[in-house]
Amino acid sequence: AHEVTNQPAAHAAVVVVRHGNRDYYMAAVDFEPWSWHIHLFKEASEFADLKKTVRNAHLVTGAVLAFSAILLFYSLNRSVKVPVGKIIADIRAGRRPQYDGIAEFAFLSANIGQMMAALKESEQAVRNIASGLGEGVYVLDRSGVLVFVNQEAERLLGWTEAELLGRVAHDLFHCHHHDPRATSKEDCPVMAVMRSGESYRTEEDAFLRKDGSLLPVAYVTAPLKKEGAISGAITSFQDITARRSAEAERMRLVTTHFW
């Protein structure tokens, strides 16, 4: 008997059959060793409570998963998005981040704040040095757009920093079409420095002031490099009006003396 009961059944299937007004689950099993065809019946109503329990379990599980997802989203939003958003908002506004909450983000905020402070100190030091040179200084990016001017450059050109920054220097004050010495941006020696990587110096040129007058200048332009690549150029220029006047007076005296 032990050997027979351990023999596998050929197949088993469960179907729903109706008898009278009642539904039954029927399991049909073929037991090949003895060629038996076994049919087991169970009234379907007896499983109604089980089906209801399983259905309710599915609903509860779905509700729990949905609530867990919402809770996870809220938690991530509160613990990641909010502090990062505050830090980014401060940086965009030019303020030092002041986030104080989750330790990791507070640490990040403090370090970014320190870097911003150091950068501002460095920028201010450069401005102080440039302002103390007694010469006009401006910096161009690779496209020839002004990204820095010192106070002396503002004074000599008659433009404010706000009016100059973001503008193409050559088009604004170096390209004066009514002057026969005017050159195109492509032929501009200042722009050529960023192509050649070599400094350029001239003792006589002219920049156009805001009021439309020409400012005689001598200047030197040098390339700026970042990670080995040319990123822009810096120009230092002087007003040579007094020098020109002195040279003209000297020539007048020489001419008067010999004639």
Side-chain angles (χ1 to χ4, degrees):
H2 178 72
E3 293 179 357
V4 172
T5 55
N6 278 280
Q7 294 295 322
H11 74 274
V14 178
V15 296
V16 177
V17 296
R18 176 173 288 274
H19 180 69
N21 295 326
R22 295 184 178 183
D23 291 332
Y24 296 86
Y25 289 116
M26 181 188 75
V29 180
D30 293 332
F31 195 69
E32 294 179 354
W34 290 355
S35 300
W36 283 4
H37 301 286
I38 304 172
H39 298 272
L40 302 176
F41 292 87
K42 191 73 173 178
E43 191 172 350
S45 61
E46 296 183 19
F47 294 94
D49 291 340
L50 178 61
K51 291 172 64 178
K52 183 177 180 181
T53 300
V54 171
R55 185 167 56 250
N56 291 339
H58 286 167
L59 293 175
V60 171
T61 301
V64 170
L65 290 175
F67 178 76
S68 298
I70 295 172
L71 186 63
L72 178 61
F73 174 80
Y74 174 78
S75 178
L76 289 175
N77 184 72
R78 184 177 178 82
S79 61
V80 177
K81 186 177 180 180
V82 171
V84 170
K86 288 181 179 179
I87 293 172
I88 291 175
D90 284 338
I91 293 174
R92 286 177 174 172
R95 301 187 300 265
R96 292 183 60 179
Q98 299 293 328
Y99 176 78
D100 183 17
I102 299 173
E104 289 79 1
F105 290 108
F107 176 79
L108 177 63
S109 174
N111 277 269
I112 292 176
Q114 291 174 4
M115 288 189 288
M116 289 179 67
L119 184 61
K120 283 189 176 182
E121 289 178 4
S122 298
E123 182 181 347
Q124 188 59 48
V126 171
R127 287 183 176 275
N128 292 339
I129 293 171
S131 297
L133 291 176
E135 298 182 354
V137 177
Y138 65 84
V139 177
L140 306 179
D141 67 10
R142 196 72 175 80
S143 301
V145 174
L146 288 156
V147 295
F148 173 82
V149 294
N150 70 347
Q151 292 180 351
E152 185 64 7
E154 291 181 87
R155 187 186 71 80
L156 292 173
L157 297 173
W159 303 83
T160 65
E161 181 183 46
E163 293 171 322
L164 290 168
L165 297 186
R167 305 282 294 277
V168 177
H170 182 82
D171 296 341
L172 186 62
F173 57 77
H174 200 196
C175 181
H176 28 85
H177 297 289
H178 60 277
D179 189 276
R181 296 167 298 176
T183 58
S184 66
K185 181 180 177 181
E186 290 72 23
D187 298 325
C188 175
V190 174
M191 297 299 296
V193 165
M194 290 185 279
R195 294 192 295 270
S196 67
E198 298 179 358
S199 298
Y200 173 80
R201 178 187 295 273
T202 180
E203 294 300 323
E204 190 167 350
D205 200 337
F207 289 162
L208 186 67
R209 291 192 180 100
K210 183 179 179 179
D211 62 10
S213 63
L214 288 178
L215 171 71
V217 296
Y219 65 82
V220 58
T221 299
L224 294 176
K225 293 185 178 181
K226 182 179 181 181
E227 297 180 353
I230 295 175
S231 59
I234 181 170
T235 298
S236 174
F237 65 96
Q238 294 178 324
D239 179 0
I240 60 171
T241 302
R243 191 182 78 187
R244 273 189 172 183
S245 298
E247 290 175 352
E249 179 63 17
R250 189 162 51 249
M251 289 298 297
R252 187 187 66 79
L253 292 175
V254 170
T255 303
T256 301
H257 178 74
F258 283 101
W259 290 94

CSV table of all heavy atoms in Angstrom, one decimal, residues 46-90:
chain,number,residue,atom,x,y,z
A,46,GLU,N,-18.8,27.1,0.4
A,46,GLU,CA,-17.9,26.9,1.6
A,46,GLU,C,-16.6,27.7,1.5
A,46,GLU,O,-15.9,27.9,2.5
A,46,GLU,CB,-17.6,25.4,1.8
A,46,GLU,CG,-18.9,24.6,2.1
A,46,GLU,CD,-18.5,23.1,2.3
A,46,GLU,OE1,-17.3,22.8,2.6
A,46,GLU,OE2,-19.4,22.3,2.2
A,47,PHE,N,-16.3,28.1,0.3
A,47,PHE,CA,-15.0,28.9,0.0
A,47,PHE,C,-15.3,30.4,-0.1
A,47,PHE,O,-14.4,31.1,-0.3
A,47,PHE,CB,-14.3,28.4,-1.2
A,47,PHE,CG,-13.8,27.0,-1.1
A,47,PHE,CD1,-14.6,25.9,-1.6
A,47,PHE,CD2,-12.6,26.7,-0.6
A,47,PHE,CE1,-14.1,24.6,-1.5
A,47,PHE,CE2,-12.1,25.4,-0.5
A,47,PHE,CZ,-12.9,24.4,-1.0
A,48,ALA,N,-16.6,30.8,0.1
A,48,ALA,CA,-16.9,32.2,-0.1
A,48,ALA,C,-16.1,33.1,0.9
A,48,ALA,O,-15.6,34.1,0.6
A,48,ALA,CB,-18.4,32.4,0.1
A,49,ASP,N,-16.1,32.6,2.2
A,49,ASP,CA,-15.4,33.4,3.2
A,49,ASP,C,-13.9,33.5,2.9
A,49,ASP,O,-13.3,34.5,3.1
A,49,ASP,CB,-15.6,32.8,4.6
A,49,ASP,CG,-17.1,32.9,5.1
A,49,ASP,OD1,-17.8,33.8,4.5
A,49,ASP,OD2,-17.5,32.1,6.0
A,50,LEU,N,-13.4,32.3,2.4
A,50,LEU,CA,-11.9,32.3,2.1
A,50,LEU,C,-11.7,33.3,1.0
A,50,LEU,O,-10.7,34.1,1.0
A,50,LEU,CB,-11.5,30.9,1.7
A,50,LEU,CG,-10.0,30.8,1.3
A,50,LEU,CD1,-9.1,31.2,2.4
A,50,LEU,CD2,-9.7,29.3,0.9
A,51,LYS,N,-12.5,33.3,-0.1
A,51,LYS,CA,-12.3,34.2,-1.2
A,51,LYS,C,-12.5,35.6,-0.8
A,51,LYS,O,-11.7,36.5,-1.2
A,51,LYS,CB,-13.4,33.9,-2.3
A,51,LYS,CG,-13.2,32.5,-3.0
A,51,LYS,CD,-14.3,32.2,-3.9
A,51,LYS,CE,-14.5,33.2,-5.0
A,51,LYS,NZ,-15.6,32.8,-5.9
A,52,LYS,N,-13.4,35.9,0.1
A,52,LYS,CA,-13.6,37.3,0.6
A,52,LYS,C,-12.4,37.7,1.4
A,52,LYS,O,-11.9,38.8,1.3
A,52,LYS,CB,-14.8,37.3,1.5
A,52,LYS,CG,-15.2,38.7,2.0
A,52,LYS,CD,-16.5,38.7,2.8
A,52,LYS,CE,-16.8,40.1,3.3
A,52,LYS,NZ,-18.0,40.1,4.1
A,53,THR,N,-11.8,36.8,2.2
A,53,THR,CA,-10.6,37.1,3.0
A,53,THR,C,-9.5,37.4,2.1
A,53,THR,O,-8.7,38.4,2.3
A,53,THR,CB,-10.3,35.9,3.9
A,53,THR,OG1,-11.4,35.7,4.8
A,53,THR,CG2,-9.1,36.2,4.7
A,54,VAL,N,-9.3,36.6,1.0
A,54,VAL,CA,-8.2,36.8,0.1
A,54,VAL,C,-8.4,38.1,-0.6
A,54,VAL,O,-7.4,38.9,-0.8
A,54,VAL,CB,-8.1,35.6,-0.9
A,54,VAL,CG1,-7.1,36.0,-2.0
A,54,VAL,CG2,-7.7,34.3,-0.2
A,55,ARG,N,-9.6,38.4,-1.1
A,55,ARG,CA,-9.9,39.7,-1.7
A,55,ARG,C,-9.6,40.9,-0.8
A,55,ARG,O,-9.0,41.9,-1.2
A,55,ARG,CB,-11.3,39.7,-2.2
A,55,ARG,CG,-11.6,40.9,-3.1
A,55,ARG,CD,-12.9,40.8,-3.8
A,55,ARG,NE,-14.0,40.5,-2.9
A,55,ARG,CZ,-14.6,39.3,-2.9
A,55,ARG,NH1,-14.2,38.3,-3.7
A,55,ARG,NH2,-15.6,39.1,-2.0
A,56,ASN,N,-10.0,40.8,0.4
A,56,ASN,CA,-9.8,41.8,1.4
A,56,ASN,C,-8.3,42.0,1.6
A,56,ASN,O,-7.7,43.1,1.8
A,56,ASN,CB,-10.5,41.6,2.7
A,56,ASN,CG,-12.0,41.7,2.5
A,56,ASN,OD1,-12.5,42.4,1.6
A,56,ASN,ND2,-12.8,41.1,3.5
A,57,ALA,N,-7.6,40.8,1.7
A,57,ALA,CA,-6.1,40.9,1.9
A,57,ALA,C,-5.4,41.6,0.8
A,57,ALA,O,-4.5,42.4,1.0
A,57,ALA,CB,-5.6,39.5,2.0
A,58,HIS,N,-5.9,41.4,-0.5
A,58,HIS,CA,-5.4,42.1,-1.6
A,58,HIS,C,-5.6,43.6,-1.5
A,58,HIS,O,-4.7,44.4,-1.8
A,58,HIS,CB,-6.0,41.6,-2.9
A,58,HIS,CG,-5.5,40.2,-3.3
A,58,HIS,ND1,-6.1,39.4,-4.3
A,58,HIS,CD2,-4.4,39.5,-2.9
A,58,HIS,CE1,-5.5,38.3,-4.4
A,58,HIS,NE2,-4.4,38.3,-3.6
A,59,LEU,N,-6.8,44.0,-1.1
A,59,LEU,CA,-7.1,45.4,-1.0
A,59,LEU,C,-6.3,46.1,0.1
A,59,LEU,O,-5.8,47.2,-0.1
A,59,LEU,CB,-8.6,45.6,-0.7
A,59,LEU,CG,-9.6,45.2,-1.8
A,59,LEU,CD1,-11.1,45.3,-1.3
A,59,LEU,CD2,-9.4,46.1,-3.0
A,60,VAL,N,-6.2,45.4,1.2
A,60,VAL,CA,-5.4,45.9,2.3
A,60,VAL,C,-3.9,46.1,1.9
A,60,VAL,O,-3.3,47.1,2.2
A,60,VAL,CB,-5.5,45.1,3.6
A,60,VAL,CG1,-4.5,45.5,4.6
A,60,VAL,CG2,-6.9,45.1,4.1
A,61,THR,N,-3.4,45.0,1.2
A,61,THR,CA,-2.0,45.0,0.8
A,61,THR,C,-1.8,46.2,-0.2
A,61,THR,O,-0.8,46.9,-0.1
A,61,THR,CB,-1.6,43.7,0.1
A,61,THR,OG1,-1.8,42.6,1.0
A,61,THR,CG2,-0.2,43.7,-0.3
A,62,GLY,N,-2.7,46.4,-1.1
A,62,GLY,CA,-2.6,47.5,-2.1
A,62,GLY,C,-2.6,48.8,-1.4
A,62,GLY,O,-1.9,49.8,-1.7
A,63,ALA,N,-3.5,49.0,-0.4
A,63,ALA,CA,-3.6,50.2,0.3
A,63,ALA,C,-2.3,50.5,1.1
A,63,ALA,O,-1.8,51.6,1.2
A,63,ALA,CB,-4.8,50.2,1.3
A,64,VAL,N,-1.8,49.5,1.7
A,64,VAL,CA,-0.6,49.6,2.5
A,64,VAL,C,0.6,50.0,1.6
A,64,VAL,O,1.4,50.9,1.9
A,64,VAL,CB,-0.2,48.3,3.2
A,64,VAL,CG1,1.2,48.4,3.8
A,64,VAL,CG2,-1.2,48.1,4.4
A,65,LEU,N,0.7,49.4,0.4
A,65,LEU,CA,1.7,49.7,-0.6
A,65,LEU,C,1.6,51.2,-1.0
A,65,LEU,O,2.6,51.9,-1.2
A,65,LEU,CB,1.7,48.7,-1.7
A,65,LEU,CG,2.2,47.3,-1.4
A,65,LEU,CD1,2.0,46.4,-2.7
A,65,LEU,CD2,3.6,47.3,-1.0
A,66,ALA,N,0.4,51.6,-1.3
A,66,ALA,CA,0.1,52.9,-1.8
A,66,ALA,C,0.5,53.9,-0.7
A,66,ALA,O,1.2,55.0,-1.0
A,66,ALA,CB,-1.3,53.1,-2.2
A,67,PHE,N,0.1,53.7,0.5
A,67,PHE,CA,0.4,54.6,1.6
A,67,PHE,C,1.9,54.6,1.9
A,67,PHE,O,2.5,55.7,2.1
A,67,PHE,CB,-0.3,54.1,2.9
A,67,PHE,CG,0.0,54.9,4.1
A,67,PHE,CD1,-0.5,56.2,4.3
A,67,PHE,CD2,0.9,54.4,5.1
A,67,PHE,CE1,-0.2,56.9,5.4
A,67,PHE,CE2,1.2,55.2,6.2
A,67,PHE,CZ,0.7,56.5,6.3
A,68,SER,N,2.6,53.4,1.7
A,68,SER,CA,4.0,53.4,1.9
A,68,SER,C,4.8,54.2,0.8
A,68,SER,O,5.7,54.9,1.1
A,68,SER,CB,4.5,51.9,1.8
A,68,SER,OG,4.0,51.2,2.9
A,69,ALA,N,4.2,54.1,-0.4
A,69,ALA,CA,4.8,54.9,-1.5
A,69,ALA,C,4.7,56.4,-1.2
A,69,ALA,O,5.6,57.2,-1.4
A,69,ALA,CB,4.2,54.5,-2.8
A,70,ILE,N,3.5,56.8,-0.8
A,70,ILE,CA,3.3,58.2,-0.5
A,70,ILE,C,4.2,58.7,0.7
A,70,ILE,O,4.8,59.8,0.6
A,70,ILE,CB,1.8,58.5,-0.1
A,70,ILE,CG1,0.9,58.2,-1.3
A,70,ILE,CG2,1.6,59.9,0.4
A,70,ILE,CD1,-0.6,58.2,-1.1
A,71,LEU,N,4.3,57.8,1.7
A,71,LEU,CA,5.1,58.2,2.8
A,71,LEU,C,6.6,58.3,2.4
A,71,LEU,O,7.3,59.2,2.9
A,71,LEU,CB,4.9,57.1,3.9
A,71,LEU,CG,5.6,57.4,5.3
A,71,LEU,CD1,5.1,58.6,5.9
A,71,LEU,CD2,5.5,56.2,6.2
A,72,LEU,N,7.0,57.3,1.6
A,72,LEU,CA,8.4,57.4,1.1
A,72,LEU,C,8.7,58.6,0.3
A,72,LEU,O,9.7,59.3,0.5
A,72,LEU,CB,8.7,56.1,0.2
A,72,LEU,CG,10.1,56.0,-0.4
A,72,LEU,CD1,11.1,56.0,0.7
A,72,LEU,CD2,10.2,54.8,-1.3
A,73,PHE,N,7.7,59.0,-0.6
A,73,PHE,CA,7.9,60.2,-1.4
A,73,PHE,C,8.0,61.4,-0.5
A,73,PHE,O,8.8,62.3,-0.7
A,73,PHE,CB,6.7,60.3,-2.4
A,73,PHE,CG,6.7,61.6,-3.1
A,73,PHE,CD1,7.6,61.8,-4.2
A,73,PHE,CD2,5.9,62.7,-2.7
A,73,PHE,CE1,7.6,63.0,-4.9
A,73,PHE,CE2,5.9,63.9,-3.4
A,73,PHE,CZ,6.7,64.0,-4.5
A,74,TYR,N,7.1,61.5,0.5
A,74,TYR,CA,7.1,62.6,1.4
A,74,TYR,C,8.4,62.7,2.2
A,74,TYR,O,9.0,63.8,2.4
A,74,TYR,CB,5.9,62.5,2.4
A,74,TYR,CG,5.9,63.6,3.5
A,74,TYR,CD1,5.5,64.9,3.2
A,74,TYR,CD2,6.3,63.3,4.8
A,74,TYR,CE1,5.5,65.9,4.2
A,74,TYR,CE2,6.4,64.3,5.7
A,74,TYR,CZ,5.9,65.5,5.5
A,74,TYR,OH,5.9,66.5,6.4
A,75,SER,N,8.9,61.5,2.6
A,75,SER,CA,10.1,61.5,3.4
A,75,SER,C,11.3,61.9,2.6
A,75,SER,O,12.1,62.7,3.0
A,75,SER,CB,10.3,60.0,3.9
A,75,SER,OG,11.5,59.9,4.6
A,76,LEU,N,11.4,61.4,1.3
A,76,LEU,CA,12.5,61.8,0.4
A,76,LEU,C,12.4,63.3,0.1
A,76,LEU,O,13.4,64.0,0.1
A,76,LEU,CB,12.4,61.0,-0.9
A,76,LEU,CG,12.8,59.5,-0.7
A,76,LEU,CD1,12.6,58.8,-2.1
A,76,LEU,CD2,14.3,59.4,-0.3
A,77,ASN,N,11.2,63.8,-0.1
A,77,ASN,CA,11.0,65.2,-0.4
A,77,ASN,C,11.5,66.1,0.7
A,77,ASN,O,12.1,67.1,0.5
A,77,ASN,CB,9.5,65.5,-0.8
A,77,ASN,CG,9.3,66.9,-1.2
A,77,ASN,OD1,9.7,67.3,-2.3
A,77,ASN,ND2,8.7,67.7,-0.3
A,78,ARG,N,11.1,65.6,1.9
A,78,ARG,CA,11.4,66.4,3.1
A,78,ARG,C,12.9,66.3,3.5
A,78,ARG,O,13.5,67.3,3.9
A,78,ARG,CB,10.6,65.9,4.3
A,78,ARG,CG,10.8,66.8,5.6
A,78,ARG,CD,9.9,66.3,6.7
A,78,ARG,NE,10.1,67.0,7.9
A,78,ARG,CZ,9.6,68.1,8.2
A,78,ARG,NH1,8.8,68.7,7.3
A,78,ARG,NH2,9.8,68.8,9.4
A,79,SER,N,13.5,65.1,3.3
A,79,SER,CA,14.9,64.9,3.7
A,79,SER,C,15.9,65.2,2.6
A,79,SER,O,17.1,65.4,2.9
A,79,SER,CB,15.0,63.5,4.2
A,79,SER,OG,14.8,62.6,3.1
A,80,VAL,N,15.5,65.3,1.4
A,80,VAL,CA,16.5,65.5,0.3
A,80,VAL,C,16.1,66.7,-0.5
A,80,VAL,O,16.9,67.7,-0.6
A,80,VAL,CB,16.5,64.3,-0.7
A,80,VAL,CG1,17.5,64.6,-1.8
A,80,VAL,CG2,17.0,63.0,0.1
A,81,LYS,N,14.9,66.7,-1.1
A,81,LYS,CA,14.6,67.8,-2.1
A,81,LYS,C,14.5,69.2,-1.4
A,81,LYS,O,15.0,70.2,-1.9
A,81,LYS,CB,13.2,67.5,-2.7
A,81,LYS,CG,12.8,68.5,-3.8
A,81,LYS,CD,11.5,68.1,-4.5
A,81,LYS,CE,11.2,69.2,-5.5
A,81,LYS,NZ,9.9,68.8,-6.2
A,82,VAL,N,13.9,69.2,-0.2
A,82,VAL,CA,13.7,70.5,0.5
A,82,VAL,C,15.1,71.1,0.9
A,82,VAL,O,15.3,72.3,0.6
A,82,VAL,CB,12.8,70.4,1.8
A,82,VAL,CG1,12.8,71.6,2.6
A,82,VAL,CG2,11.4,70.0,1.3
A,83,PRO,N,16.0,70.4,1.6
A,83,PRO,CA,17.2,71.0,1.9
A,83,PRO,C,18.1,71.3,0.7
A,83,PRO,O,18.7,72.4,0.6
A,83,PRO,CB,17.9,69.9,2.8
A,83,PRO,CG,17.2,68.7,2.5
A,83,PRO,CD,15.8,69.1,2.2
A,84,VAL,N,18.1,70.5,-0.3
A,84,VAL,CA,18.8,70.8,-1.5
A,84,VAL,C,18.3,72.0,-2.2
A,84,VAL,O,19.0,72.9,-2.7
A,84,VAL,CB,18.8,69.6,-2.5
A,84,VAL,CG1,19.4,69.9,-3.8
A,84,VAL,CG2,19.6,68.4,-1.9
A,85,GLY,N,16.9,72.1,-2.2
A,85,GLY,CA,16.3,73.3,-2.8
A,85,GLY,C,16.7,74.5,-2.1
A,85,GLY,O,16.9,75.6,-2.8
A,86,LYS,N,16.7,74.5,-0.8
A,86,LYS,CA,17.1,75.7,0.0
A,86,LYS,C,18.5,76.1,-0.3
A,86,LYS,O,18.9,77.3,-0.5
A,86,LYS,CB,16.9,75.4,1.5
A,86,LYS,CG,15.4,75.4,1.9
A,86,LYS,CD,15.3,75.1,3.4
A,86,LYS,CE,13.9,75.1,3.8
A,86,LYS,NZ,13.8,74.8,5.3
A,87,ILE,N,19.4,75.1,-0.4
A,87,ILE,CA,20.8,75.4,-0.7
A,87,ILE,C,21.0,76.0,-2.1
A,87,ILE,O,21.7,77.0,-2.2
A,87,ILE,CB,21.7,74.1,-0.5
A,87,ILE,CG1,21.7,73.6,0.9
A,87,ILE,CG2,23.1,74.3,-1.0
A,87,ILE,CD1,22.3,72.3,1.1
A,88,ILE,N,20.3,75.4,-3.1
A,88,ILE,CA,20.4,75.9,-4.4
A,88,ILE,C,19.8,77.3,-4.5
A,88,ILE,O,20.4,78.2,-5.2
A,88,ILE,CB,19.7,74.9,-5.4
A,88,ILE,CG1,20.5,73.6,-5.5
A,88,ILE,CG2,19.6,75.6,-6.8
A,88,ILE,CD1,19.8,72.6,-6.3
A,89,ALA,N,18.7,77.6,-3.8
A,89,ALA,CA,18.1,78.9,-3.9
A,89,ALA,C,19.0,80.0,-3.3
A,89,ALA,O,19.2,81.0,-3.9
A,89,ALA,CB,16.8,78.9,-3.1
A,90,ASP,N,19.7,79.6,-2.3
A,90,ASP,CA,20.7,80.6,-1.7
A,90,ASP,C,21.8,80.8,-2.6
A,90,ASP,O,22.3,82.0,-2.8
A,90,ASP,CB,21.2,80.1,-0.3
A,90,ASP,CG,20.2,80.2,0.8
A,90,ASP,OD1,19.3,81.0,0.7
A,90,ASP,OD2,20.3,79.5,1.8
